[in-house]
Amino acid sequence: VQLVESGGGLVQAGGSLRLSCAVSGRTVSSASIGWFRQAPGKEGREFVAAITWSRGFKFYGDAGKGRFAITKDGDKKEVYLQMNNLNPEDTAVYFCGSIPTSSERACRLADKYDYWGEGTQVTVSS
């Protein structure tokens, strides 16, 4: 499975961005795609959101709840993260990953993912 993120950039506080994750290669109906982020100077990746590939169930982390929305286009094999009302604390590299399960508990854990993209930088200025 290959994943390529796009859509990052520089935005002012209060603005919006839409990230895309293009998925290629073998996918299975039980898989999910998740978004994580890693802020500068912080260890580890923070769970942002995930969506199950087959049925489109959605899970959200605390950081983006109410501001971020994850969607998918099965025909295009793309997953999107719409981010609204951004603030400087959202500055991070955003990664999408693939996990071979639709378990919500597993989808929240970065070490359960087996494929990752290279990431896309999101910078929010105050």
Side-chain angles (χ1 to χ4, degrees):
V1 178
Q2 294 81 42
L3 304 127
V4 179
E5 303 94 338
S6 61
L10 174 64
V11 64
Q12 288 188 331
S16 299
L17 281 175
R18 186 197 195 207
L19 306 184
S20 299
C21 175
V23 183
S24 60
R26 181 174 177 267
T27 55
V28 296
S29 59
S30 59
S32 303
I33 301 295
W35 284 98
F36 285 74
R37 68 186 186 185
Q38 187 161 10
K42 289 191 176 181
E43 290 189 13
R45 296 181 180 183
E46 177 186 16
F47 174 68
V48 177
I51 188 166
T52 65
W53 195 252
S54 177
R55 303 185 72 176
F57 294 142
K58 302 174 184 182
F59 317 124
Y60 291 97
D62 290 337
K65 197 170 290 184
R67 299 185 297 127
F68 296 176
I70 189 169
T71 58
K72 68 177 180 71
D73 185 326
D75 292 336
K76 293 183 178 179
K77 296 186 74 174
E78 291 186 349
V79 174
Y80 310 103
L81 184 68
Q82 178 67 43
M83 305 187 295
N84 299 323
N85 194 22
L86 287 161
N87 59 65
E89 290 70 39
D90 296 314
T91 294
V93 179
Y94 285 70
F95 300 88
C96 65
S98 173
I99 182 172
T101 179
S102 56
S103 159
E104 177 178 358
R105 182 175 181 178
C107 284
R108 294 178 177 273
L109 302 173
D111 62 359
K112 302 297 184 185
Y113 286 70
D114 48 8
Y115 295 99
W116 292 97
E118 294 291 320
T120 186
Q121 175 72 46
V122 171
T123 303
V124 185
S125 63
S126 57

